[in-house]
């Protein structure tokens, strides 16, 4: 009896003072249309601002039109499709999209402080997504494979601005204009940001250098996924997260990564990809993500080819495919001595600009990789007593030359450069020329700083004995050339600069054919 009296009092109070008790209101879809505000779709009464709106899974997924005036305290949807194209909807506390649920905002205004995409998809094409009429600071939590899609980003005002992203799902950005920035917070986000180009003619790119832009500078948990024809411009602030790239970037011709600042995270190829160098370096690992075949990383473009250093391990990856490296413009330094990529290393040119690969260890080029000279130069920085044995197969493309720039930076001990017979350098119809520079960069006089060795000239016919070109001996450099009979049929030019010395061992029977330029010190020996 006492319980009944309490309930009676509560009911009287609710009647007198207008109190509304919150309820769970479930979509049943029995109305004459699919509108949220149609009472028949909710079994008789549409949700109020205090109610929990539930759109459950169904054998045939429910389709809900979120029309003007839709309200609820919370919305939870599973396996259903909700579409808002006009009007204003207000979800006072949170929207939750479970597995299979999709909410599309393509016009109008959705006010809510929190969206939890827990296996579903939220697509924001146009309209307004905000906490309330005074701010845009919505918290978006992406979990259980949840995806937030921002379509038709035509400018900063259309981008993902002033939101807070958490979770480990996917943020998909579809850009239609140039030079887009983000100004959201990603401190607690550990998911993937996909960058798509939906208007190739607009030079679309994600720019981390614009005022107020999200930089991902200290967030190593984020993964950037730069899709074909899209670009990320890493301008002045280092990029700490992992980055997946494919393609050549937008029509600016500056690569899928426009490398103006350092990248400290790892870089993965999803296919052939280009990096445009503008002074930044990559210290993270670089690898292929292919399960088979070869993916080529091209460094340098016609619009973007300054110097850069890759200090992380360059490898094929762990999934079965190969990585090949092409240096097209600028100087790329590989400073890691443990690179394990197995695709070809190609040294190329863009116009009159030569691509230069600079190494300080022959192991910087993978042991099973071949080196293809297609106009570019291999530059070797030696140290005391170092032996550089070019055991990689060397190939020279038609109309180009074997270009080597060998520099010894030590004054007290020799560096050796030895050619093996594993290479195929031209044919009788297309003999190979070469341009070899041997120099000492230490800047003080010393002796015997280099030994240039040709082990054989025609082993199994793999080296065709018909060469022409120049060997230049730099200042303060002592060079011994072993096996001079390697040049016995060729028009070879030796240039010995002031302070340099040249000693030749082997058969000099055809020295008369050689062109000597300013040789201040020379010794011939057998």
């Amino acid at each position: 009896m006492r319980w009944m009296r309490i309930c009676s009092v509560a009911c009287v109070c609710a009647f007198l003072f207008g109190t509304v008790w919150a309820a769970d209101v479930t979509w049943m879809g029995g109305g004459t249309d699919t509108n949220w505000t149609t009472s028949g779709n909710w079994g008789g009464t549409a949700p109020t601002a205090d109610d929990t709106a539930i759109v459950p899974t169904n054998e045939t997924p429910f389709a809900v039109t979120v029309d003007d005036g839709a309200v609820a305290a919370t919305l939870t949807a599973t396996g259903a499709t909700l579409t808002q194209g006009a009007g204003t909807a207000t979800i006072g506390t949170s929207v939750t999209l479970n597995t299979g649920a999709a909410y599309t905002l393509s016009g109008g205004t959705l006010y809510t402080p929190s969206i939890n995409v827990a296996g579903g998809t939220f697509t924001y094409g146009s309209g307004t997504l905000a906490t309330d009429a005074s701010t845009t600071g919505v918290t978006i939590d992406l979990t259980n494979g949840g995806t937030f899609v921002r379509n038709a980003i035509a400018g900063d005002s259309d981008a993902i601005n002033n939101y807070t992203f958490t979770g480990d799902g996917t943020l998909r950005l579809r850009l239609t204009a140039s030079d887009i920035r983000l100004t959201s917070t990603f401190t607690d986000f550990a998911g993937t940001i996909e960058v798509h180009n939906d208007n190739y003619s607009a030079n679309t790119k994600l720019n981390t250098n614009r005022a107020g832009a999200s930089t991902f500078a200290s967030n190593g948990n984020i993964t950037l996924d730069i899709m074909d024809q899209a670009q990320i411009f890493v301008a002045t602030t280092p990029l700490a997260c992992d980055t997946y790239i494919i393609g050549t970037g937008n029509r600016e011709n500056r690569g899928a990564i426009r490398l103006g600042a350092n990248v400290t995270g790892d870089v993965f190829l999803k296919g052939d990809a280009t990096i445009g160098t503008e002074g930044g370096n990559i210290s993270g690992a670089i690898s292929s993500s292919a399960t088979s075949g070869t993916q080529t990383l091209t460094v340098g473009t016609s619009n973007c080819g300054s110097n850069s250093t890759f200090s992380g391990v360059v490898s094929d990856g762990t999934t079965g495919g190969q990585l090949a490296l092409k240096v097209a413009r600028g100087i790329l330094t590989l400073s890691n001595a443990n690179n394990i990529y197995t695709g070809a290393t190609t040294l190329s040119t863009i116009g009159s600009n030569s691509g230069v690969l600079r190494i300080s260890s022959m192991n910087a080029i993978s042991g099973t990789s071949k080196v293809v000279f297609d106009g570019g130069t291999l530059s070797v920085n030696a140290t005391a007593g170092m032996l550089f044995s070019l055991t990689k197969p060397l190939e020279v493309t038609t109309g180009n030359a074997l270009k080597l720039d060998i520099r010894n930076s030590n004054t007290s001990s020799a560096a050796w450069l030895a050619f093996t017979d594993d290479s195929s350098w031209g044919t009788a119809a297309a003999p190979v020329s070469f341009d070899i520079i041997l120099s000492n960069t230490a800047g003080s006089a010393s002796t015997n700083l280099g030994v240039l060795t040709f082990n054989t000239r025609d082993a199994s016919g793999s080296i065709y004995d018909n060469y022409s070109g120049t060997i230049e001996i730099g200042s303060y450099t002592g060079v011994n050339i072993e096996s001079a009979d390697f040049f016995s049929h060729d028009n070879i030019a030796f240039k010995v600069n002031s302070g340099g010395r040249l000693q030749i061992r082997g058969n000099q029977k055809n020295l008369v054919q050689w062109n000597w330029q300013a040789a201040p010190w020379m010794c011939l020996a057998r």
Side-chain angles (χ1 to χ4, degrees):
M1 293 296 294
R2 182 180 179 185
W3 178 82
M4 294 179 63
R5 287 196 299 270
I6 293 174
C7 289
S8 298
V9 172
C11 291
V12 170
C13 291
F15 175 77
L16 292 176
F17 297 104
T19 301
V20 178
W21 298 99
D24 291 348
V25 183
T26 301
W27 180 274
M28 301 177 67
T32 58
D33 53 34
T34 60
N35 290 345
W36 177 294
T37 57
T38 299
S39 298
N41 288 321
W42 301 94
T45 303
T48 70
D50 297 303
D51 292 334
T52 295
I54 301 172
V55 183
T57 187
N58 191 51
E59 183 176 352
T60 299
F62 287 122
V64 180
T65 300
V66 183
D67 57 333
D68 187 41
V71 295
T74 62
L75 164 64
T76 299
T78 305
T81 299
L82 298 92
T83 304
Q84 181 180 351
T88 298
T90 303
I91 310 298
T93 301
S94 64
V95 173
T96 298
L97 302 175
N98 294 318
T99 301
Y103 193 116
T104 299
L105 176 63
S106 58
T109 299
L110 173 61
Y111 289 132
T112 186
S114 176
I115 299 176
N116 178 20
V117 188
T121 302
F122 190 101
T123 301
Y124 180 11
S126 61
T128 301
L129 174 63
T131 298
D132 52 41
S134 63
T135 180
T136 59
V138 180
T139 296
I140 301 166
D141 188 28
L142 305 176
T143 60
N144 195 31
T147 301
F148 190 100
V149 182
R150 184 63 172 97
N151 284 333
I153 301 177
D156 289 345
S157 62
D158 295 329
I160 302 297
N161 294 331
N162 301 318
Y163 300 120
T164 298
F165 284 87
T166 60
D168 57 4
T170 299
L171 168 60
R172 183 171 299 139
L173 306 176
R174 308 198 71 94
L175 281 57
T176 62
S178 175
D179 218 16
I180 302 299
R181 65 174 177 174
L182 303 182
T183 59
S184 291
T185 300
F186 294 92
T187 305
D188 297 318
F189 182 62
T192 298
I193 301 176
E194 291 182 3
V195 182
H196 295 253
N197 184 351
D198 281 0
N199 183 6
Y200 184 63
S201 64
N203 291 337
T204 61
K205 62 177 172 287
L206 185 63
N207 190 340
T208 66
N209 192 43
R210 299 194 56 201
S214 306
T215 63
F216 323 115
S218 60
N219 194 332
N221 296 319
I222 291 177
T223 297
L224 287 176
D225 195 350
I226 312 301
M227 312 300 285
D228 195 21
Q229 299 185 350
Q231 179 197 99
I232 182 168
F233 182 21
V234 186
T236 58
T237 304
L239 185 67
C241 55
D242 291 346
T243 305
Y244 286 77
I245 59 174
I246 187 173
T248 59
N250 59 28
R251 71 171 188 173
E252 287 180 328
N253 191 24
R254 295 179 183 271
I257 298 178
R258 184 175 168 184
L259 191 63
N262 294 339
V263 171
T264 60
D266 295 339
V267 176
F268 302 88
L269 272 65
K270 298 189 300 177
D272 293 345
T274 299
I275 294 177
T277 52
E278 294 188 354
N281 304 311
I282 299 179
S283 58
I286 301 174
S287 64
S288 164
S289 62
T291 56
S292 63
T294 300
Q295 296 174 333
T296 299
L297 175 62
T298 299
V299 180
T301 73
S302 59
N303 292 336
C304 195
S306 64
N307 302 342
S308 184
T309 297
F310 293 173
S311 57
V313 174
V314 183
S315 72
D316 289 339
T318 60
T319 53
Q322 290 183 320
L323 183 144
L325 181 64
K326 179 178 181 179
V327 185
R329 185 182 176 190
I331 300 175
L332 173 64
T333 299
L334 295 181
S335 62
N336 196 297
N338 299 298
N339 292 326
I340 51 175
Y341 67 97
T342 57
T345 301
T346 302
L347 310 174
S348 186
T349 60
I350 294 179
S352 60
N353 298 292
S354 176
V356 178
L357 178 62
R358 181 166 292 167
I359 59 177
S360 57
S361 165
M362 292 311 299
N363 291 329
I365 302 176
S366 176
T368 58
S369 173
K370 66 180 179 180
V371 180
V372 179
F373 291 84
D374 191 27
T377 301
L378 177 61
S379 174
V380 178
N381 285 344
T383 56
M386 186 172 290
L387 169 62
F388 291 93
S389 181
L390 294 180
T391 59
K392 285 81 176 169
L394 304 181
E395 294 184 7
V396 181
T397 61
T398 301
N400 287 293
L402 175 69
K403 296 182 180 180
L404 299 172
D405 185 354
I406 314 299
R407 305 185 182 194
N408 185 4
S409 60
N410 187 275
T411 61
S412 60
S413 181
W416 290 267
L417 174 65
F419 290 86
T420 70
D421 56 6
D422 297 333
S423 304
S424 178
W425 299 354
T427 64
V432 168
S433 62
F434 56 80
D435 185 0
I436 300 176
I437 298 174
L438 302 165
S439 62
N440 171 30
T441 60
S444 59
S446 58
T447 61
N448 194 29
L449 288 180
V451 178
L452 177 61
T453 304
F454 292 89
N455 291 337
T456 183
R457 60 176 176 168
D458 51 17
S460 303
S462 61
I463 295 179
Y464 182 73
D465 185 20
N466 187 2
Y467 296 88
S468 63
T470 300
I471 297 178
E472 180 176 347
I473 312 302
S475 300
Y476 310 115
T477 301
V479 172
N480 299 329
I481 294 183
E482 313 283 347
S483 302
D485 57 345
F486 184 83
F487 306 111
S488 61
H489 300 290
D490 307 301
N491 182 21
I492 305 299
F494 285 90
K495 182 178 179 181
V496 184
N497 293 315
S498 178
R501 56 176 58 192
L502 171 64
Q503 178 171 278
I504 300 174
R505 299 177 182 274
N507 185 358
Q508 295 92 37
K509 63 181 180 181
N510 288 307
L511 286 178
V512 68
Q513 298 181 14
W514 298 359
N515 178 20
W516 301 93
Q517 302 179 25
W521 194 98
M522 180 177 66
C523 174
L524 303 180
R526 290 186 180 275

